[in-house]
Amino acid sequence: MGLLTEGTPLTWEETKKLAEHVREHGINQFINIYKKLRDRKGDVLKWGDEIEYILVKFNKGAKEVKVSLRAVDILSVLNEKEYNDPNGVKSLWRPEFAAYMIEGTPGKPYEGTLAHFNVVEANMKMRRQEVMELLTQDECALSITAFPRLGCENFTDPPTVPTPNEGNTRSLFFPDAAVFPGHPRFMNLVRNIRERRGEHVAINLPIFRDTDTKIPVDDSYKIRKAAKPDCVYMDAMGFGMGCCCLQLTFQACNIEEARILYDQLTPLCPIMLALTAASPVHRGFITDVDCRWNVISGSVDCRTEEERGVKPLKENKFVIKKSRYDSIDSYLSEQGEIYNDIPILYNKEDYEKLRNSGIDDLLAQHIAHLFIRDTVSLFSEKINQNDEEDTDHFENIQSTNWQTMRFKPPPPHSTIGWRVEFRPCEVQITDFENAAIVCFVVLLTRVILSYQLNLLIPISKVDDNMQNAQLRNACREQRFWFRKDITTDVSPPEANRCCKEAMASEFKECNLIGQMTVNEIINGKQGEFPGLIPLIQSYLSGMDVDADTHCTIQQYLKFIQQRASGEILTTATWIRKFVTEHPAYKHDSVVSEEINYDLLETVRDIQEDIKSCPDLLGFRIMSKTKENVPHALENDV
Ligand code: GLU
Ligand code: MG
C-alpha cells in the first residue's frame, strides 16, 4: 500500500494545520530529487510483482469461513527472517490495510532476460508456501480480490463487532479491529479520511437483480442518508482497501523511457482490469459489477462536500472530479500531450515553482496535480525535514494518490532508477494465472518499446473505459475505446499493413480510435487490428530463448488468449456461476455462510492444485514447480 513511516501519528486537527507545510516541502523535495536524478541513465530493465493475500479460517463443522485477523503474528515471523538475512530471502513481506491481509514480493527484482519468466510462478508458489507453513491447519492464505462476506455479521476470527458510534471507522459493518493493528498508518488514514470528508465514506454498488432479489437490499438507507436502497451500501475504508490486487513495477533505463511506459501502459489499465475482473460479491451480495476499483475509490474518497460539488466552494479551493484512488488524469510523455483532454487541477503557485526549477510543463502539471490532495497521514517525528536529503513529504502525497499508474522517482542514495508501477489488475486465484498476467504485461512493455508502438487515446476515453471495464461480464460483452493504428515504421510489416488498411477503408470523421472488445484487442481482428498477443509472438520469434522458458511463456499467452476470447472464464464470472448454481442459493443475490464456505473451500482446492478447474484455467500442459529463483541485484524494485 505504500510508505510506512515509523512514529506517532498526529491528530486530524494537527494534520490539517500542516497541509500547506507538507505541500510546500513535498514539492521542494521533488524538485531536489529531479535536479539530482533527471539525467540518471543506463539503468536496465528490472521488474517485480506484488501480490496481496487474505488470511481466512475455515470451520468445517459449522460450514463457515472467516477472515483471520492474524496478519500481525504471521508478519512478525516473516519479517524476522528478512531481518536476519536481508539479502538472502527470496521473498519480502509487508503489511497491508487489513488485519487479515499480507503482501508479498520476490526478494529481488527480475531482470531483462526471458528466462526470468520461468521462475515467476515458482517464486509465487514459494511465497504462498512460506505463509502456509505459519498458518494453522484450518487457516489459508487466499489470493482473492475481495472476501465475499466482508462486513457481514461475524465475519472475523476471532469475532469482533463494529462500533458505529465510536472509534475510527464508525461503520455499521466493518469493525476497527479488522484494520491492521501493527502500524498506526492504517487506522490513522481511516480516521483522517473520514474526518476530512466530514462524513462516512459511502459506496453504493448496484445489486445484481435475480428473480427473488429483495429491494431494498437492507435497512441501511433508513439509518444513513447516503445509502441507496437498491444498492449494496458500504461505509468504511476497509471495504475497499481490504481488497487485494496484483501490481507490477518496472525500472526504466532513464526518465524518458519511464514517461513513455507510464503513458503507453495507461490505455491498457481498463483492458487489464476487465481481463482480471475477480470481485463480483461484496458484503454478502452478488452485485452488478465485477471489479473492486470503484469500491476502493469510494472507500478512500476524502473529498469534502465542497470538493465533491455538493456545496458551493468556500473553505476549499477546487471541485475535484475524482477520489485519490482513481485513474490517472494526464499523460507524461511528449507523445501523450495532445491526448490530455481533461482539465488538470493544480495550484498555480505549485506549478510555477516546479516550472521555475526547470521542470517541463507535463511533469510540473503532474506533480502539482498530485499535490491538490492534502496529507491524510502525518507523524510528529517527520514534520521537520531537510528537503535536500529527505523525501517523506513528497512520498506522503505520492503514496496516497492511489492511481492506475504511478510514476516513481529514484529513491535518494540508491542504485534504483526511474520506475513506473502498473496497478489496475485484480489478483487471481492461482499462481499460474498471476504469473501469466505478470509475464504478459512485462512482455507488452518490451514489445511497446521495441516496436515503438503507440497505444495512446484521449485520456477521457481511458476514463470511460475504466467504468465499462467494471461492468458485469465486461471482458466478454463490453467494447472499449482503443487506438486503431498502434504501429510505427519499426513495427512488424504485417501489423503495419493490417492497421493501415483498416484506417484507409473507413470514412469516419475521427479515424484515430474505435471500439473493440477485449478479445479483439488481445487476439486481433482480421484485416483490422493486429492484436497484442500476435505482436508479442512476432517479438518473441526474433528472440533467443530456451525450450523450457518458451513453453512456459506460450502457456501463459494461451491462457491470456483464452481468457480474452471467453473460452475460459474470468474469476468474476466463475464466482457468479459458482454462487448462482449452488444448491443452497435462493435466487436472491445473497451469498450465505454456507455458499461462501463452499466457494472459498473450492478456491483453496484450486490454488493448492487439489481440484482442477478447466473452466477457469483452461488445460495446462504441465505444472511448474521450479525451485531456482533468480539471483538479481536490487532489493526494492
Ligand atoms: N489493495 C489495493 C488495491 O487493491 C492497493 C493497495 C496498494 O497500493 O498496495 O488496489
Ligand atoms: Mg499493497
Side-chain angles (χ1 to χ4, degrees):
M1 161 140 169
L3 181 84
L4 287 186
T5 306
E6 291 299 330
T8 326
L10 300 183
T11 65
W12 170 238
E13 283 311 315
E14 293 163 336
T15 306
K16 196 172 163 180
K17 285 195 201 113
L18 290 163
E20 278 309 322
H21 172 84
V22 173
R23 193 173 347 269
E24 184 194 333
H25 293 281
I27 290 179
N28 291 345
Q29 290 171 6
F30 178 78
I31 291 171
N32 290 331
I33 303 173
Y34 180 81
K35 281 187 175 157
K36 275 185 225 146
L37 295 163
R38 67 175 157 199
D39 295 326
R40 186 189 163 103
K41 39 181 161 300
D43 291 310
V44 295
L45 167 69
K46 285 185 187 174
W47 56 277
D49 65 83
E50 267 168 62
I51 294 184
E52 297 166 345
Y53 303 83
I54 291 182
L55 305 178
V56 299
K57 184 168 177 176
F58 292 94
N59 181 338
K60 200 166 182 169
K63 283 208 101 174
E64 288 179 354
V65 55
K66 312 289 180 194
V67 294
S68 172
L69 306 182
R70 289 218 306 132
V72 175
D73 305 351
I74 307 302
L75 276 166
S76 70
V77 184
L78 293 167
N79 289 339
E80 174 91 29
K81 283 202 227 172
E82 180 186 335
Y83 183 79
N84 292 331
D85 185 11
N87 294 314
V89 285
K90 289 176 176 174
S91 59
L92 297 173
W93 294 95
R94 297 292 173 259
E96 251 303 336
F97 176 83
Y100 54 80
M101 279 168 92
I102 52 171
E103 177 187 292
T105 60
K108 302 274 156 66
Y110 301 112
E111 293 180 43
T113 57
L114 291 177
H116 283 238
F117 292 137
N118 219 7
V119 285
V120 173
E121 190 177 340
N123 186 280
M124 289 176 180
K125 220 173 225 133
M126 193 258 337
R127 262 136 76 184
R128 201 187 280 275
Q129 201 49 45
E130 204 181 357
V131 178
M132 292 298 269
E133 277 162 20
L134 303 175
L135 301 177
T136 61
Q137 267 245 291
D138 44 7
E139 283 178 322
C140 190
L142 301 177
S143 47
I144 47 172
T145 296
F147 181 78
R149 284 181 59 84
L150 198 75
C152 293
E153 212 176 318
N154 249 325
F155 74 102
T156 67
D157 181 274
T160 53
V161 278
T163 53
N165 300 315
E166 58 186 31
N168 294 314
T169 307
R170 305 196 176 193
S171 161
L172 300 173
F173 320 101
F174 196 97
D176 275 353
V179 178
F180 185 81
H183 194 283
R185 166 181 166 91
F186 303 105
M187 196 61 99
N188 199 35
L189 283 170
V190 169
R191 183 197 58 207
N192 291 349
I193 285 173
R194 188 175 49 73
E195 295 220 10
R196 187 178 192 288
R197 181 178 166 93
E199 58 190 67
H200 294 93
V201 294
I203 303 138
N204 285 289
L205 284 192
I207 188 128
F208 166 69
R209 292 183 188 236
D210 207 340
T211 47
D212 294 323
T213 303
K214 204 175 95 233
I215 310 274
V217 170
D218 63 9
D219 286 342
S220 300
Y221 74 101
K222 293 185 185 161
I223 314 167
R224 294 283 180 76
K225 71 175 194 307
K228 296 189 180 150
D230 55 350
C231 287
V232 179
Y233 167 69
M234 291 169 271
D235 62 351
M237 181 166 168
F239 282 108
M241 282 298 182
C243 290
C244 297
C245 66
L246 167 68
Q247 293 165 336
L248 280 154
T249 301
F250 306 93
Q251 174 173 281
C253 65
N254 56 30
I255 188 172
E256 274 76 40
E257 189 183 87
R259 293 169 78 152
I260 291 171
L261 277 177
Y262 180 89
D263 285 7
Q264 294 297 334
L265 288 174
T266 293
L268 289 169
C269 289
I271 311 307
M272 292 310 293
L273 182 60
L275 193 80
T276 58
S279 47
V281 179
H282 295 270
R283 239 195 79 215
F285 295 100
I286 315 175
T287 71
D288 228 9
V289 302
D290 272 0
C291 302
R292 78 196 189 292
W293 196 263
N294 283 350
V295 181
I296 311 189
S297 178
S299 85
V300 290
D301 188 355
C302 67
R303 291 173 302 160
T304 63
E305 283 189 303
E306 294 180 16
E307 286 170 336
R308 279 177 278 138
V310 179
K311 264 191 190 162
L313 284 176
K314 219 170 87 201
E315 310 250 304
N316 295 122
K317 281 192 214 140
F318 306 112
V319 175
I320 307 176
K321 251 187 74 190
K322 292 177 184 172
S323 157
R324 34 196 328 149
Y325 183 106
D326 217 313
S327 43
I328 65 158
D329 287 314
S330 67
Y331 293 115
L332 282 182
S333 68
E334 235 171 83
Q335 227 180 352
E337 186 164 10
I338 50 169
Y339 302 109
N340 284 337
D341 67 338
I342 55 182
I344 303 159
L345 296 174
Y346 49 77
N347 291 301
K348 250 204 144 61
E349 316 80 73
D350 296 342
Y351 171 82
E352 248 126 53
K353 183 159 87 175
L354 289 153
R355 292 289 279 136
N356 293 336
S357 309
I359 298 174
D360 59 278
D361 168 53
L362 285 175
L363 188 55
Q365 175 182 279
H366 167 73
I367 298 295
H369 182 56
L370 294 179
F371 276 84
I372 61 169
R373 310 289 173 176
D374 289 344
T375 173
V376 274
S377 168
L378 200 55
F379 292 78
S380 59
E381 295 80 353
K382 295 286 176 180
I383 301 173
N384 294 311
Q385 298 186 13
N386 172 359
D387 292 343
E388 287 291 335
E389 293 296 321
D390 299 327
T391 57
D392 276 76
H393 288 319
F394 169 70
E395 287 296 339
N396 184 317
I397 299 303
Q398 159 97 328
S399 71
T400 51
N401 270 276
W402 296 278
Q403 298 177 329
T404 36
M405 298 293 305
R406 190 176 280 162
F407 180 69
K408 300 170 81 161
H413 312 299
S414 83
T415 50
I416 300 171
W418 292 89
R419 291 159 302 162
V420 295
E421 199 177 319
F422 185 74
R423 305 168 46 86
C425 294
E426 307 226 317
V427 71
Q428 311 294 297
I429 295 172
T430 63
D431 299 319
F432 168 71
E433 294 162 280
N434 288 315
I437 288 156
V438 162
C439 293
F440 172 66
V441 176
V442 180
L443 276 170
L444 269 178
T445 65
R446 298 309 96 193
V447 171
I448 288 168
L449 294 174
S450 315
Y451 292 158
Q452 293 172 26
L453 300 183
N454 181 4
L455 306 180
L456 303 183
I457 60 173
I459 203 133
S460 62
K461 291 287 189 259
V462 179
D463 278 353
D464 292 351
N465 284 351
M466 278 301 287
Q467 291 310 314
N468 271 355
Q470 300 177 56
L471 298 175
R472 171 159 47 91
N473 217 4
C475 187
R476 289 301 305 282
E477 291 171 11
Q478 292 299 313
R479 295 163 73 78
F480 297 90
W481 294 111
F482 212 76
R483 193 178 177 100
K484 290 197 284 191
D485 183 359
I486 61 173
T487 56
T488 54
D489 45 9
V490 296
S491 312
E494 325 78 78
N496 263 323
R497 222 172 305 124
C498 175
C499 287
K500 300 283 175 320
E501 271 167 30
M503 300 283 289
S505 68
E506 289 203 29
F507 299 98
K508 290 201 189 113
E509 203 183 312
C510 169
N511 211 11
L512 181 76
I513 61 172
Q515 288 193 300
M516 301 183 207
T517 60
V518 171
N519 185 32
E520 288 164 352
I521 294 168
I522 301 280
N523 291 317
K525 194 174 177 198
Q526 186 74 48
E528 285 184 39
F529 187 73
L532 300 177
I533 296 257
L535 282 164
I536 291 179
Q537 295 291 17
S538 146
Y539 169 81
L540 286 172
S541 68
M543 303 287 287
D544 213 12
V545 56
D546 66 273
D548 194 46
T549 304
H550 174 81
C551 182
T552 304
I553 295 175
Q554 289 307 325
Q555 202 178 167
Y556 293 156
L557 295 181
K558 180 158 180 224
F559 163 77
I560 301 285
Q561 285 190 291
Q562 292 183 324
R563 188 46 97 66
S565 71
E567 272 167 87
I568 55 181
L569 307 177
T570 62
T571 315
T573 304
W574 178 80
I575 292 176
R576 285 180 190 282
K577 189 161 173 278
F578 187 98
V579 171
T580 52
E581 289 174 1
H582 191 283
Y585 176 65
K586 299 204 184 72
H587 304 279
D588 55 359
S589 319
V590 172
V591 181
S592 65
E593 283 277 14
E594 181 190 350
I595 299 174
N596 192 41
Y597 179 89
D598 287 335
L599 172 66
L600 295 190
E601 195 182 52
T602 305
V603 166
R604 184 190 64 192
D605 291 350
I606 293 172
Q607 81 175 31
E608 302 292 302
D609 248 339
I610 296 171
K611 212 176 237 164
S612 73
C613 189
D615 246 14
L616 192 66
L617 303 173
F619 290 98
R620 301 183 50 187
I621 309 158
M622 56 177 190
S623 125
K624 313 269 346 160
T625 49
K626 291 191 187 57
E627 293 302 329
N628 58 325
V629 173
H631 228 74
L633 304 166
E634 295 309 332
N635 232 322
D636 170 17
V637 172

